[in-house]
Amino acid sequence: MTKIAVIVGSTREGSFNRALGNLAIKALESHGATVADVDLATFDLPLYSAAIEANAFPADAERLKALFAAQDGLLFVSPEYNGSLPPLLKNAIDWASRPTGGESLVALTAYRGKATAVMSASISPFGGLRGLMHLRQILSTIQTLVIPEQVLVPNAHAAFDADGNLTEALPATLIDMTAARLVAVARALAA
Ligand SMILES: Cc1cc2nc3c(=O)[nH]c(=O)nc-3n(C[C@H](O)[C@H](O)[C@H](O)COP(=O)(O)O)c2cc1C
């Protein structure tokens, strides 16, 4: 079974990215993945600080890192904040990038060699495109292979019906294409 974690970069009640993440989870499962739904609200992660790290590596940072390390692929579904990704998500990515247990500085055991993909829902007409460009760059820096497919849901406040489904066919189709490719690439890289 191909294992994929879905990480949603918003913990807001009524989050559009959570709605998008839920659809992505169903699509990934339909393509044969076993999905770990990562709710960042359930991880107690302080803002990264070298002093905190040196004193005692936070238990939840280690838990998040271990969860990522156990996957074949990672899907990030994130809002755009001021043209980039929210600090909630960057902080989580940063903690899980840190070496633990005598690893080398660049071990990147949570990330190296994994397939990743990105999606964003935004209330703007641009669908969070700028945030995803930054996220792609970060995911490459930490040695993951970011697939070219991606999903943008613009005007997110009007994009979902009461059941959390997308009203437009195009983004719904892109979720399926992106999920299929992520599972295929993650499986191939893990083989
Ligand atoms: C600090 C902050 C900055 C934001 N900057 C952007 C932005 O640059 N581009 C954008 O499309 N939306 C921006 N937004 C609006 C978000 O798209 C909107 O709040 C969205 O609902 C957040 O995603 P969520 O529903 O998953 O929480 C910003 C929101 C906040 C709180």
Side-chain angles (χ1 to χ4, degrees):
M1 261 305 200
T2 306
K3 296 171 75 179
I4 309 279
V6 173
I7 304 100
V8 175
S10 172
T11 56
R12 188 179 70 82
E13 202 180 324
S15 160
F16 302 122
N17 286 278
R18 167 44 66 187
L20 179 57
N22 290 344
L23 295 176
I25 288 169
K26 282 189 214 152
L28 288 164
E29 287 174 344
S30 79
H31 289 286
T34 301
V35 177
D37 181 357
V38 180
D39 177 1
L40 290 176
T42 66
F43 289 82
D44 184 13
L45 300 174
L47 190 59
Y48 173 79
S49 130
I52 293 173
E53 181 180 39
N55 190 38
F57 201 91
D60 273 9
E62 223 160 328
R63 184 162 68 89
L64 186 70
K65 184 180 172 186
L67 197 158
F68 285 2
Q71 310 301 317
D72 302 311
L74 306 169
L75 169 64
F76 293 87
V77 185
S78 178
E80 174 180 290
Y81 277 10
N82 295 319
S84 190
L85 61 161
L88 171 80
L89 182 57
K90 181 62 163 60
N91 190 49
I93 291 172
D94 286 349
W95 271 117
S97 74
R98 298 299 296 161
T100 48
E103 287 171 347
S104 105
L105 257 183
V106 290
L108 292 168
T109 49
Y111 301 114
R112 187 183 298 284
K114 295 188 196 307
T116 53
V118 294
M119 300 185 181
S120 180
S122 150
I123 58 173
S124 89
F126 306 110
L129 178 62
R130 294 170 304 174
L132 290 195
M133 299 304 282
H134 284 186
L135 189 48
R136 281 182 173 279
Q137 192 177 0
I138 292 162
L139 294 175
S140 295
T141 301
I142 55 177
Q143 308 287 317
T144 76
L145 187 66
V146 196
I147 64 165
E149 290 84 354
Q150 67 183 17
V151 179
L152 297 171
V153 178
N155 305 313
H157 49 289
F160 295 90
D161 65 20
D163 296 325
N165 291 310
L166 287 161
T167 52
E168 295 279 338
L170 180 63
T173 305
L174 289 172
I175 291 173
D176 190 65
M177 282 176 59
T178 305
R181 177 79 80 180
L182 179 60
V183 173
V185 175
R187 184 179 293 144
L189 289 181

